[in-house]
């Protein structure tokens, strides 16, 4: 598909949240001459996409406006995506590829099969995201170097699969072709169950805490890191857990059984087994790639050595602010059992982190990453 850059393609985006908006902006960046048609249930994102030049056509309904699109992406919650299928089946032109961006694939694949649309649908899941949501936080570079799961149907032709894979690669993402079943089982283990574990661990501490909240006071460093994802959207995660409930319950059963074994090893003072647990987990975790975004939002955090004196924090905040660096969170690390340094600073993106490290080291601060 070397000629893909020369095509005056037409792309439809149904839903302009973080992912839909980022896809739209990405298409505009990579294919400046393409025609982009967008729909969103609320008006503000539609108007914003038109005003900033991302969209050529905005509409308040899924109708014939999408009839000339070469690609259409369903970027709303799965039940709304499914509700659009009958309309799209009627209006899509021959050769148009329909896709989605949902984090669970089985339901949309089943709905596509029920509508007899297997030949034109290729499921997708961009494995990138942010703790921020909505079109206002969409980025033309959100998918850069991120894995993008592609889930074809049994009726997907090799030509369409090659065409779609080339498109995703051209947008800057790294396509990975999976069955919808393998995708849903994998994300249950690496994303969905970890969210449940994090939320459960936070609630366990809440329920186990002393009346004067000693655990809450001491919770910092490692505990906050491993439970950060517990702050994710309750509405979104309710939906995801229900959509992927069979895979999640299977992985949860395996996890509970595994942790029961760990409990018995600790109770029996089986030091060799406990040591083996950490050796194996450390080796496997160290083998993970650090070069690509993952499904779980990444934390961009540094720890800085400072002297505990008046104005120390404001001095650092001023250095960063004067260089147009936005700080997501800043605070003293009181529990330094797992952290070096005194001041913990969290940023929204890696670029800000890297710039901050260079600046602070220039001013002779010691920075731990």
């Amino acid at each position: 598909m070397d000629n893909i850059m020369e095509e005056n393609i037409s792309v439809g985006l149904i839903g302009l949240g973080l992912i839909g908006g980022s896809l739209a902006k990405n298409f505009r960046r990579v294919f400046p001459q393409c025609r982009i048609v967008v729909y969103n249930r609320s008006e503000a994102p539609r108007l914003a996409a038109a005003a900033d030049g991302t969209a050529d056509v905005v509409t308040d309904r899924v109708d014939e406006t999408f009839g000339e699109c070469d690609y259409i992406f369903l970027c709303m919650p799965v039940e709304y995506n499914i509700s659009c299928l009958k309309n799209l089946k009627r209006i899509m032109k021959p050769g148009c590829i329909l896709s989605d961006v949902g984090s669970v694939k089985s339901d949309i694949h089943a709905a596509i099969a029920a509508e007899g649309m297997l030949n034109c649908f290729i499921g997708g899941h961009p494995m990138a995201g942010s703790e921020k949501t909505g079109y206002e936080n969409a980025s033309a570079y959100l998918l850069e170097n991120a894995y993008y799961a592609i889930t074809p149907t049994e009726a997907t032709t090799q030509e369409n699969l090659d065409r779609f894979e080339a498109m995703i690669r051209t947008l800057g993402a790294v396509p990975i072709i999976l069955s919808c079943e393998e995708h849903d089982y994998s994300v249950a283990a690496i994303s969905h169950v970890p969210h449940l574990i994090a939320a459960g661990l936070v609630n366990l501490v809440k329920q186990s805490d002393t009346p004067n909240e000693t655990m809450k006071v001491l919770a910092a460093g490692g505990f906050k890191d491993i439970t950060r994802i517990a702050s994710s959207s309750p509405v979104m995660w309710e939906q995801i857990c229900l959509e992927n409930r069979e895979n999640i319950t299977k992985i949860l059963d395996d996890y509970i059984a595994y942790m029961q074994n760990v409990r018995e090893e600790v109770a029996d003072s089986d030091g060799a087994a406990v040591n083996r647990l950490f050796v194996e987990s450390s080796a496997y975790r160290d083998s993970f790639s650090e070069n690509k975004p993952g499904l779980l939002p990444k934390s961009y955090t540094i720890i800085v050595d400072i002297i505990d004196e008046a104005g120390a924090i404001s001095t650092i905040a001023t250095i960063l602010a004067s260089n147009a660096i936005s700080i997501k969170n800043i605070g003293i690390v009181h529990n330094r059992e797992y952290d070096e340094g005194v001041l913990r600073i969290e940023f929204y993106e890696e670029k800000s982190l890297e710039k901050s490290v260079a600046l602070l080291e220039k001013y002779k601060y010691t920075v731990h990453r």
Side-chain angles (χ1 to χ4, degrees):
M1 290 297 294
D2 292 336
N3 65 337
I4 196 168
M5 294 295 292
E6 302 172 7
E7 297 179 8
N8 291 318
I9 58 173
S10 180
V11 181
L13 284 302
I14 298 175
L16 280 177
L18 177 71
I19 300 298
S22 295
L23 266 175
K25 289 176 179 286
N26 202 340
F27 271 107
R28 177 58 69 215
R29 175 178 66 86
V30 176
F31 302 100
Q33 302 305 314
C34 74
R35 177 176 178 267
I36 296 180
V37 181
V38 301
Y39 160 81
N40 196 71
R41 285 177 290 163
S42 56
E43 183 181 43
R46 299 198 304 262
L47 296 180
D52 66 18
T54 297
D56 298 292
V57 181
V58 298
T59 176
D60 61 357
R61 64 192 66 193
V62 179
D63 58 13
E64 285 75 7
T65 313
F66 290 88
E68 293 304 313
C69 290
D70 301 293
Y71 300 88
I72 297 175
F73 291 84
L74 300 167
C75 307
M76 299 191 297
V78 65
E79 68 268 22
Y80 293 103
N81 288 339
I82 290 173
S83 71
C84 294
L85 295 182
K86 289 187 185 298
N87 249 358
L88 290 172
K89 182 179 179 180
R90 177 178 59 84
I91 63 179
M92 283 170 53
K93 73 176 185 180
C96 175
I97 291 179
L98 176 66
S99 189
D100 78 318
V101 298
S103 60
V104 182
K105 311 313 307 172
S106 298
D107 284 357
I108 188 68
H109 272 261
I112 286 289
E115 290 294 337
M117 301 174 71
L118 291 172
N119 62 326
C120 64
F121 180 77
I122 301 176
H125 179 199
M127 296 191 174
S130 167
E131 292 168 341
K132 297 180 285 186
T133 60
Y135 182 78
E136 63 272 19
N137 293 305
S139 166
Y141 295 92
L142 184 69
L143 303 184
E144 192 74 22
N145 207 34
Y147 288 120
Y148 197 117
I150 296 175
T151 58
T153 74
E154 60 266 30
T156 300
T157 64
Q158 191 62 48
E159 178 183 1
N160 274 355
L161 182 57
D162 291 345
R163 175 183 153 204
F164 189 73
E165 183 181 3
M167 171 64 73
I168 296 306
R169 199 178 297 278
T170 303
L171 291 176
V174 181
I176 295 181
I177 299 172
L178 304 168
S179 69
C180 64
E181 294 84 5
E182 183 179 7
H183 170 275
D184 287 358
Y185 185 66
S186 298
V187 296
I190 64 171
S191 177
H192 304 167
V193 167
H195 275 83
L196 288 168
I197 292 172
L201 184 56
V202 169
N203 286 340
L204 175 64
V205 168
K206 178 183 176 183
Q207 294 164 9
S208 305
D209 209 350
T210 58
N212 58 351
E213 296 189 323
T214 301
M215 293 181 185
K216 182 178 180 180
V217 170
L218 297 179
F223 183 82
K224 289 190 73 174
D225 285 342
I226 64 174
T227 59
R228 179 169 45 88
I229 55 176
S231 298
S232 301
S233 165
V235 173
M236 180 180 75
W237 280 98
E238 175 190 354
Q239 182 183 64
I240 287 173
C241 288
L242 295 182
E243 289 172 11
N244 204 22
R245 59 190 177 277
E246 292 183 6
N247 287 307
I248 289 174
T249 52
K250 168 66 170 66
I251 297 292
L252 270 177
D253 285 343
D254 293 344
Y255 177 73
I256 292 167
Y258 184 81
M259 292 309 295
Q260 182 62 36
N261 287 335
V262 171
R263 179 201 175 282
E264 292 172 4
E265 289 164 358
V266 172
D268 294 341
S269 298
D270 189 343
V274 173
N275 180 275
R276 187 167 57 251
L277 165 71
F278 286 103
V279 168
E280 292 177 356
S281 64
S282 176
Y284 185 61
R285 186 184 185 281
D286 290 346
S287 71
F288 294 174
S289 171
E290 292 291 339
N291 299 322
K292 293 179 175 62
L295 266 178
L296 304 183
K298 190 173 182 179
S299 176
Y300 302 106
T301 304
I302 59 175
I303 310 250
V304 185
D305 285 339
I306 61 171
I307 299 173
D308 186 9
E309 61 183 14
I313 296 179
S314 61
T315 299
I316 288 181
T318 300
I319 292 172
L320 300 182
S322 63
N323 286 273
I325 296 174
S326 295
I327 298 173
K328 180 178 180 182
N329 203 356
I330 186 169
I332 294 292
V333 179
H334 294 289
N335 181 345
R336 294 197 287 278
E337 185 179 0
Y338 302 102
D339 290 323
E340 299 177 276
V342 177
L343 186 68
R344 185 183 185 90
I345 310 173
E346 186 176 3
F347 304 93
Y348 287 105
E349 58 187 3
E350 186 173 13
K351 186 187 302 182
S352 295
L353 181 148
E354 298 294 345
K355 186 176 179 181
S356 298
V357 170
L359 273 170
L360 294 174
E361 289 180 342
K362 175 184 173 183
Y363 284 94
K364 307 304 181 183
Y365 287 98
T366 300
V367 181
H368 306 278
R369 304 176 63 168

